[in-house]
Amino acid sequence: MHENTVEPVGPVHWAPAGEHRLLKDANGLLIAELRGDIDLATAVGLRLWLDSLLCLDTPGHVVDLRPVAFIDSTGLSVLLRFRRRALAAERGFALLCDAGQRRLLHAHGTLDVLAPTATLADALTRAVDDVRQGRPWTPAPPRRNG
């Protein structure tokens, strides 16, 4: 028989977001500006980072793909998962991308589902409209210390 020993492994940390940026507009919408490659090698870290954004108090999320250099089917799966989770949390969601990325979404059959916009203004409007059209958002109550 082996004796079981338990040792602490240290604190758990979210994977770093890499070069991605998080911005906030005047209405409290969060804009996740993704950068670099989104593929099998980066998908887990990005998924964890996007999941952490769902814990923040916001009426909606905009994902900006324009600075992304490459995205594969694993990256698209991460985006679809984030969209599904944002809408399930009654948050608005919008995707912002360029013409080449729209062609990729069309080729993968996700263009109609993700319904990307071409401008940030359109994306912000769509995220707010999601909240107004049956997905009510109420801010979290303030936290009390003690």
Side-chain angles (χ1 to χ4, degrees):
M1 282 220 149
H2 293 32
E3 183 177 327
N4 289 334
T5 59
V6 178
E7 297 177 17
V9 293
V12 177
H13 298 285
W14 289 106
E19 305 232 347
H20 309 307
R21 290 185 349 156
L22 184 61
L23 308 168
K24 191 176 205 176
D25 86 332
N27 296 318
L29 295 170
L30 293 179
I31 303 155
E33 187 179 86
L34 307 184
R35 297 170 179 260
D37 294 345
I38 302 175
D39 55 15
L40 185 60
T42 62
V44 172
L46 177 60
R47 180 176 51 87
L48 291 172
W49 184 66
L50 290 172
D51 283 351
S52 73
L53 299 184
L54 293 170
C55 297
L56 300 175
D57 193 24
T58 180
H61 301 273
V62 172
V63 176
D64 185 355
L65 286 183
R66 294 175 301 174
V68 170
F70 173 80
I71 185 167
D72 68 2
S73 60
T74 307
L76 289 176
S77 176
V78 169
L79 291 176
L80 289 165
R81 179 181 185 274
F82 180 68
R83 176 191 171 273
R84 183 180 67 246
R85 295 191 69 199
L87 296 177
E90 298 182 339
R91 308 258 179 93
F93 175 85
L95 183 69
L96 177 58
C97 67
D98 63 28
Q101 293 159 341
R102 282 183 67 86
R103 286 191 299 276
L104 175 75
L105 295 177
H106 179 70
H108 281 272
T110 57
L111 183 65
D112 292 338
V113 173
L114 291 171
T117 64
T119 67
L120 180 58
D122 289 344
L124 293 171
T125 300
R126 177 162 299 153
V128 169
D129 286 347
D130 271 358
V131 175
R132 290 182 185 149
Q133 295 175 4
R135 293 184 194 77
W137 176 78
T138 54
R143 294 182 183 173
R144 295 183 183 184
N145 294 334

